[in-house]
């Protein structure tokens, strides 16, 4: 009977309601992950710690996201996927409450660790769940919906956190996550159909997927893409303020423009992805590399920088959609394990890219991190080209 319900859901508009609930959850997850970027000073002051210690609130969530994504498919074997997603969504609410009322450093870190578990688990399963909710020809649109929410949240979370922190304090800013997460949880529970776990045993070691040449090359392209993206993106604020001379208001508007451009780019480019998947996977990081070089060359022109960053948002935000579709095609037989591996690679890439970009930014100059990002993005394009060639070879 459960299988019949699932088949009927494919033809029902309620499936898109479930996708919408996932998109909202993703938005809240990503906003929560990056909100501390602009709140480190008041957090450190209130909890009597150094800003570097407060900054670990970001890295610890990334660490737990990596660990969770690698083991979630095996640990949840046999459990209805609706229940699993509900647990992770509830953990998001719990995390926000713990962080809001954290009396000390260790409680804050625990709350952020819970958030990392929610991020790693939810993201790992998102592609596989969308593949089950929607017919194959609508999967790209479903993945685009998730990444549209991701684009907005990742871009506006820092300036929004700064604004809310000034208005209602850092605890108030984090507490606002709670009602949004509860809405997402309720919406998800009402619209998500039962999704019984599949009979097949999941891959127990996700790294075994890398034995497949096409998977190894694709994951390499993803690693270099996100390393390059965050070697540059993480340091946009000091670049915009110190190099290009934007004030705080103008800077916030530029970041908002990037987010809106990202939403537009996601919806526009995702329409081409089913027919031009590898062409876009190769071309997007190459264009981003050119934009990174352009940001170095035109750093003193605010108009040029604004246009280049708008283009960066438009083009770059569609890249995760492309790799989500790639995953649904190449690992359709093991999408949950593949999703776990992909999320682990992305979170690791963000951490390493931001760290290396920061070392270059501080010790050589801002321009070095931007050129380093361009080099990584060219590498991603080359790895994507190799993955395409591997896909053309008989298996």
């Amino acid at each position: 009977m459960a299988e019949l319900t699932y088949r009927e859901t494919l033809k029902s508009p309620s499936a898109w309601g479930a996708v919408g609930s996932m998109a909202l959850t993703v938005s809240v997850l990503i906003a929560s992950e990056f909100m501390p970027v602009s709140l480190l000073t008041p957090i450190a002051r209130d909890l009597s710690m150094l800003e570097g210690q407060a900054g670990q609130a970001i890295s610890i969530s990334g660490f737990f996201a990596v660990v969770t994504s690698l083991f979630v498919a095996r640990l949840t074997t046999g459990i209805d996927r609706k229940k699993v997603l509900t647990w992770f969504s509830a953990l998001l609410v719990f995390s926000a409450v713990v962080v809001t009322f954290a009396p000390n450093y260790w409680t804050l870190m625990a709350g952020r660790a819970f958030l990392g578990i929610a991020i790693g688990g939810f993201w790992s399963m998102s592609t596989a769940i969308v593949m089950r909710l929607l017919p194959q020809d609508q999967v790209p649109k479903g993945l685009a919906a998730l990444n549209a929410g991701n684009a907005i949240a990742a871009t506006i979370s820092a300036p929004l956190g700064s604004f809310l922190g000034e208005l209602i304090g850092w605890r108030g800013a984090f507490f606002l996550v709670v009602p949004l997460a509860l809405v997402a949880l309720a919406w998800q529970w009402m619209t998500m159909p039962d999704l019984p776990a599949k009979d097949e045993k999941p891959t127990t070691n996700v790294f075994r997927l890398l034995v497949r040449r096409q998977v190894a090359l694709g994951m390499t392209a993803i690693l270099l893409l996100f390393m390059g993206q965050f070697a540059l993106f993480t340091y946009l604020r000091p670049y915009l303020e110190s190099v290009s001379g934007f004030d705080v208001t103008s800077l916030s508007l530029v970041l908002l423009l990037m987010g809106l451009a990202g939403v537009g780019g996601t919806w526009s480019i995702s329409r081409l992805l089913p027919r031009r998947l590898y062409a876009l996977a190769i071309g997007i990081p190459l264009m981003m590399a050119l934009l990174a070089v352009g940001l170095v060359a035109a750093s003193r022109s605010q108009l040029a920088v604004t246009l280049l960053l708008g283009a960066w948002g438009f083009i770059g935000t569609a890249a995760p959609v492309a790799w989500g579709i790639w995953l649904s095609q190449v690992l359709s037989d093991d999408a949950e394990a593949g999703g776990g591996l992909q999320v682990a690679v992305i979170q690791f890439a963000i951490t390493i890219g931001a760290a290396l970009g920061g070392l270059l930014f501080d010790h050589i100059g801002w321009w070095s991190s931007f050129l380093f990002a361009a080099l990584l993005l060219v590498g991603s394009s080359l790895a994507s080209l190799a993955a395409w060639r591997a896909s053309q070879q008989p298996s």
Side-chain angles (χ1 to χ4, degrees):
M1 188 68 184
E3 182 66 19
L4 177 61
T5 302
Y6 164 62
R7 294 297 179 190
E8 290 174 349
T9 300
L10 287 178
K11 301 178 182 180
S12 168
S14 64
W16 276 105
V19 173
S21 72
M22 292 177 66
L24 178 58
T25 306
V26 164
S27 299
V28 181
L29 280 168
I30 301 305
S32 300
E33 182 177 18
F34 291 112
M35 193 179 291
V37 169
S38 57
L39 295 171
L40 292 185
T41 300
I43 291 174
R45 183 173 59 245
D46 190 38
L47 297 181
S48 302
M49 64 177 77
L50 300 174
E51 290 189 4
Q53 289 180 298
Q56 293 174 19
I58 300 171
S59 59
I60 194 171
S61 62
F63 172 78
F64 275 87
V66 170
V67 174
T68 303
S69 63
L70 291 175
F71 298 104
V72 65
R74 178 169 55 180
L75 295 176
T76 59
T77 302
I79 305 175
D80 188 298
R81 271 30 199 159
K82 176 179 180 177
K83 292 181 180 178
V84 176
L85 285 187
T86 300
W87 292 344
F88 287 127
S89 299
L91 195 58
L92 167 61
V93 179
F94 180 68
S95 164
V97 173
V98 171
V99 170
T100 298
F101 297 103
N104 53 47
Y105 172 79
W106 293 111
T107 307
L108 177 72
M109 291 299 108
R112 296 294 295 179
F114 290 133
L115 175 64
I117 295 171
I119 292 170
F122 199 96
W123 258 123
S124 295
M125 295 194 163
S126 59
T127 297
I129 297 298
V130 170
M131 288 171 63
R132 294 183 66 179
L133 287 172
L134 300 175
Q136 185 175 359
D137 64 334
Q138 294 185 26
V139 168
K141 293 182 180 178
L143 295 176
L146 297 188
N147 280 280
N150 177 17
I152 296 175
T155 305
I156 71 171
S157 57
L160 182 62
S162 178
F163 172 76
L164 292 174
E166 289 293 324
L167 194 66
I168 56 178
W170 71 267
R171 294 183 187 273
F174 276 105
F175 187 74
L176 286 181
V177 170
V178 176
L180 289 173
L182 286 172
V183 169
L185 177 61
W187 186 8
Q188 181 180 302
W189 183 257
M190 291 186 294
T191 58
M192 186 74 67
D194 292 333
L195 296 171
K198 295 182 179 180
D199 294 333
E200 300 90 349
K201 292 183 179 180
T203 300
T204 55
N205 180 4
V206 298
F207 293 108
R208 292 184 63 185
L209 296 172
L210 296 175
V211 173
R212 307 184 198 180
R213 177 175 169 78
Q214 190 180 355
V215 174
L217 289 169
M219 291 299 173
T220 300
I222 292 170
L223 175 73
L224 294 173
L225 170 70
F226 280 88
M227 280 184 66
Q229 195 167 12
F230 279 84
L232 187 152
F233 177 77
T234 308
Y235 306 100
L236 273 184
R237 177 159 185 166
Y239 164 79
L240 290 172
E241 285 183 325
S242 302
V243 180
S244 298
F246 286 86
D247 57 28
V248 175
T249 302
S250 300
L251 180 150
S252 300
L253 290 175
V254 171
L255 294 178
L256 179 60
L257 171 65
M258 282 184 66
L260 295 176
V263 175
T266 298
W267 283 108
S268 301
I269 297 175
S270 65
R271 297 175 181 273
L272 302 174
L273 284 171
R275 301 185 302 276
R276 299 285 186 270
L277 177 59
Y278 280 104
L280 289 167
I282 295 166
I284 285 175
L286 193 58
M287 288 185 284
M288 292 174 70
L290 293 174
L291 291 172
V293 174
L295 287 169
V296 174
S299 60
R300 301 298 178 181
S301 170
Q302 292 190 354
L303 176 60
V305 167
T306 300
L307 293 175
L308 288 167
L309 288 178
W312 176 281
F314 185 88
I315 295 168
T317 312
V321 186
W323 288 110
I325 296 172
W326 171 83
L327 178 69
S328 70
Q329 293 178 358
V330 175
L331 289 170
S332 58
D333 57 330
D334 212 346
E336 288 190 0
L341 179 60
Q342 187 182 61
V343 170
V345 168
I346 290 172
Q347 289 289 335
F348 178 76
I350 290 173
T351 302
I352 298 301
L356 293 178
L359 288 174
L360 292 170
F361 195 98
D362 289 338
H363 296 290
I364 298 180
W366 65 267
W367 53 269
S368 62
S369 60
F370 281 48
L371 294 181
F372 176 60
L375 183 63
L376 291 169
L377 290 164
V378 170
S380 176
S381 183
L382 293 174
S384 301
L385 176 61
W388 171 70
R389 287 178 175 172
S391 73
Q392 304 303 303
Q393 298 174 359
S395 55

